[in-house]
């Protein structure tokens, strides 16, 4: 770690000075030199030699960490470029400290073929963030025939999901899990994972918010917690039956957290994510029928929020994801029951976790960087230790900076942030992708 530094600055080198390095190996005070896509040196603060580079980024009072990894973003391309593009989504991601995002396949057309996978990969190349398309488990996300998963794994797809909908048929899901378990060898041994949006539609149909006291008061159709929990229960059983990995997306209920905890204790190969909105907002936010608070799965009562927070604290939940879901103002400007579900998340996620969770920053970074990187199979490039020779995908965070959320100032053309006007603590100062500073002092560089 305490490597001596070259004194002659190489072209394109960047020095990050004055920060505390936090990675999966712990914390220490050190300066970091990067260039040519990699970390060149990490120099302990008490080392007398000064570190020279073509450019120096001030990181005093900051934390430098592996870039964040978001397992769940909707980048809307192809099909809804008015709401978001891969380019604007990647820029928002970089502003939020992310160096890798997994793009969901509920685009138009769906990401269920080699052509669309390649299209999204091409759109992502050269943006501010590494964009990894996930692909649909079933053709057209219709829940019937399996997508050509082997072909898509060969192209680099590591996560499959019908997100936006869950796979309703237990038999189709069983077949998908059996098929996926034989595909790891196609992609250099990186594990393939099936991720599930848990929602039994027979129970959620007609609902547009959580079924409970608030849906009764507001006269809106409800989606019971059980619509999610029945599918979590089923897929835990299928993980046991097939031995294949299942990742649970955007868990939102106390019952789901308890089942995943028990499944992990039983040694089953399951992982789970929680979104920032599910652990910071409740169904009471829907009281004014403001569609910015409409999301699937829906915001839940306080007891569920508390259970998610406990699950994040005790390791039951492996990752914080955003489920960043842009929608145009025209689309959101509809009655609550007919507006599309979803909210922005990329630029607020880290600050919300730092502001709202009573967890040390080391644990928050585990939940937002190296743990999701491992789940998505991108841990060859992301979430790596900050050490010489490693890919220089990094974020620099000022944990004490306070700021006010403004949708207008976000990179996304859509404005549906539920945190408008909220004061948050903790802000991304710089983001480096393959050693290039793509965000400097909170400003995107391209
Ligand atoms: O709220 C949501 N929005 N949940 C989903 O599962 C899909 C997403 C979207 O695509 O807008």
């Amino acid at each position: 770690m305490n490597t001596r530094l070259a004194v002659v600055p190489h072209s394109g080198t960047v020095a990050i000075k004055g920060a505390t390095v936090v990675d999966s190996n712990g914390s220490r005070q050190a300066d970091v030199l990067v260039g040519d896509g990699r970390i060149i040196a990490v120099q302990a603060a008490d080392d007398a030699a000064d570190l020279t580079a073509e450019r120096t980024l001030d990181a005093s009072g900051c934390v430098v960490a592996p870039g964040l990894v978001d397992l769940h973003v909707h980048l809307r391309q192809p099909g809804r470029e008015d709401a978001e593009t891969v380019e604007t989504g990647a820029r928002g991601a970089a502003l939020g400290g992310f160096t890798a995002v997994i793009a969901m396949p509920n685009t138009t057309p769906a990401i269920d073929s080699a052509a669309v996978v390649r299209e999204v990969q091409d759109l992502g190349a050269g943006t501010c963030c590494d964009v990894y398309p996930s692909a649909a488990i079933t053709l057209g996300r219709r829940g019937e025939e399996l997508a050509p998963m082997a072909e898509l794994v060969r192209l680099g797809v590591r996560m499959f999901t019908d997100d936006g909908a869950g796979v309703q048929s237990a038999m189709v899901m069983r077949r998908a899990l059996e098929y996926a378990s034989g595909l790891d060898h196609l992609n250099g041994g990186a594990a393939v994972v099936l991720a599930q949006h848990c929602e039994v539609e027979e129970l959620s149909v007609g609902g547009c918010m959580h079924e409970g006291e608030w849906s009764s008061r507001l006269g809106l159709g409800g989606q019971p917690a059980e619509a999610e929990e029945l599918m979590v229960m089923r897929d835990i059983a299928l993980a046991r039956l097939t031995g294949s990995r299942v990742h649970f997306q955007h868990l939102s209920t106390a019952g789901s957290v308890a089942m995943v905890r028990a499944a992990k204790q039983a040694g089953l190969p399951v992982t789970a994510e929680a979104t920032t909105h599910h652990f910071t907002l409740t169904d009471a936010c829907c009281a004014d029928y403001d569609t910015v608070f409409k999301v699937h799965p829906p915001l839940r009562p306080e007891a569920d929020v508390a259970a998610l927070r406990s699950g994040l604290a005790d390791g039951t939940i492996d990752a914080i994801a955003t489920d960043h879901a842009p929608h145009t103002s025209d689309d959101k400007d509809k009655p609550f029951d007919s507006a599309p579900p979803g909210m922005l998340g990329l630029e607020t996620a880290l600050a919300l976790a730092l502001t709202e969770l009573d967890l040390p920053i080391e644990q928050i970074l585990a939940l937002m960087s190296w743990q999701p990187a491992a789940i998505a199979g991108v841990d060859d490039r992301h979430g790596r230790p900050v050490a010489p020779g490693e890919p220089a995908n990094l974020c620099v965070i000022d944990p004490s900076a306070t700021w006010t959320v403004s949708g207008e100032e976000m990179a996304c053309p859509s404005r549906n942030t539920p945190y408008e006007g909220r004061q948050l603590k903790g802000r991304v100062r710089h983001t480096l992708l393959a050693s290039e500073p793509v965000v400097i002092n909170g400003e995107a560089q391209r």
Side-chain angles (χ1 to χ4, degrees):
M1 192 67 26
N2 196 359
T3 315
R4 277 279 156 200
L5 300 169
V7 251
V8 184
H10 297 291
S11 81
T13 51
V14 181
I16 306 165
K17 289 198 177 181
T20 304
V21 170
V22 177
D23 64 11
S24 53
N25 294 324
S27 311
R28 63 269 174 205
Q29 200 69 32
D31 294 343
V32 181
L33 180 70
V34 302
D36 268 342
R38 301 219 159 245
I39 296 173
I40 299 170
V42 179
Q43 176 168 285
D46 56 7
D47 194 313
D50 196 22
L51 180 158
T52 42
E54 204 168 71
R55 164 172 232 160
T56 297
L57 297 177
D58 174 36
S60 39
C62 291
V63 162
V64 57
L68 309 182
V69 177
D70 193 344
L71 292 172
H72 199 139
V73 300
H74 297 271
L75 300 184
R76 303 293 185 228
Q77 213 177 354
R80 285 306 305 263
E81 291 78 359
D82 52 339
E84 181 82 289
T85 63
V86 171
E87 187 188 351
T88 57
R91 189 171 298 125
L95 286 164
F98 295 94
T99 54
V101 294
I102 313 301
M104 292 296 107
N106 62 337
T107 48
T108 314
I111 309 179
D112 64 358
S113 68
V116 188
V117 166
R118 280 205 200 91
E119 180 181 351
V120 177
Q121 286 172 333
D122 289 349
L123 289 165
T127 63
C128 290
C129 181
D130 281 348
V131 175
Y132 296 91
S134 64
I137 296 172
T138 65
L139 287 177
R141 302 172 43 256
R142 286 186 293 274
E144 294 159 5
E145 292 160 78
L146 297 188
M149 290 165 64
E151 183 186 7
L152 306 184
V153 169
R154 278 194 200 92
L155 290 177
V157 174
R158 293 161 168 90
M159 181 183 277
F160 290 86
T161 172
D162 276 2
D163 184 57
V167 176
Q168 300 299 305
S169 157
M171 185 55 101
V172 170
M173 192 62 190
R174 175 187 181 171
R175 294 288 177 241
L177 285 165
E178 287 169 343
Y179 186 18
S181 64
L183 300 178
D184 293 356
H185 68 284
L186 294 177
N187 202 7
V192 170
V193 66
L194 295 202
Q196 188 73 281
H197 165 126
C198 291
E199 178 182 345
V200 172
E201 287 167 10
E202 283 176 330
L203 277 179
S204 65
V205 67
C208 58
M209 69 173 294
H210 172 72
E211 180 175 316
E213 187 191 326
W214 274 103
S215 63
S216 306
R217 280 205 222 176
L218 298 170
L220 291 171
Q223 301 185 347
E226 287 75 5
E228 174 175 306
E229 291 163 358
L230 279 178
M231 196 172 281
V232 173
M233 187 187 294
R234 183 199 77 181
D235 282 4
I236 288 172
L238 291 177
R240 186 186 305 114
L241 180 65
T242 62
S244 200
R245 289 205 302 155
V246 178
H247 175 69
F248 293 107
Q249 298 178 294
H250 45 44
L251 288 188
S252 69
T253 81
S256 297
V257 177
M259 284 187 281
V260 169
R261 186 176 288 122
K264 285 187 162 188
Q265 279 162 2
L268 295 175
V270 296
T271 53
E273 70 189 33
T275 71
T276 34
H277 48 268
H278 286 116
F279 67 74
T280 57
L281 304 171
T282 67
D283 57 346
C285 294
C286 303
D288 294 330
Y289 300 92
D290 186 342
T291 61
V292 82
F293 296 106
K294 180 172 175 181
V295 67
H296 284 169
L299 301 177
R300 305 285 187 186
E302 200 58 62
D304 295 299
V305 171
L308 290 175
R309 290 181 179 217
S310 308
L312 287 162
D314 73 8
T316 301
I317 299 173
D318 304 86
I320 293 172
T322 65
D323 197 0
H324 176 79
H327 291 288
T328 63
S329 304
D330 277 356
D331 284 343
K332 274 291 195 185
D333 194 13
K334 291 196 174 125
F336 200 92
D337 55 358
S338 48
M343 39 182 74
L344 303 187
L346 282 167
E347 294 191 45
T348 45
L350 176 68
L352 282 162
L354 290 169
T355 308
E356 296 265 339
L357 292 178
D358 197 15
L359 295 177
I361 192 164
E362 289 79 1
Q363 203 173 343
I364 287 172
L365 290 168
L367 289 160
M368 296 188 75
S369 178
W370 45 96
Q371 288 175 188
I375 291 169
V378 300
D379 49 344
D380 53 337
R381 287 186 43 74
H382 296 275
R384 307 286 310 164
V386 180
E390 295 288 358
N393 297 316
L394 301 168
C395 66
V396 179
I397 303 154
D398 181 349
S400 56
T402 53
W403 59 290
T404 305
V405 178
S406 158
E408 275 295 314
E409 287 171 21
M410 290 181 180
C412 182
S414 298
R415 296 282 172 259
N416 52 313
T417 171
Y419 303 105
E420 185 70 37
R422 193 165 321 179
Q423 280 254 327
L424 297 176
K425 193 166 173 207
R427 193 152 207 196
V428 173
R429 191 182 284 184
H430 317 299
T431 305
L432 289 91
L433 182 69
S435 79
E436 178 197 345
V438 287
V439 172
I440 299 179
N441 289 325
E443 300 280 336
Q445 300 300 297
R446 55 189 175 84

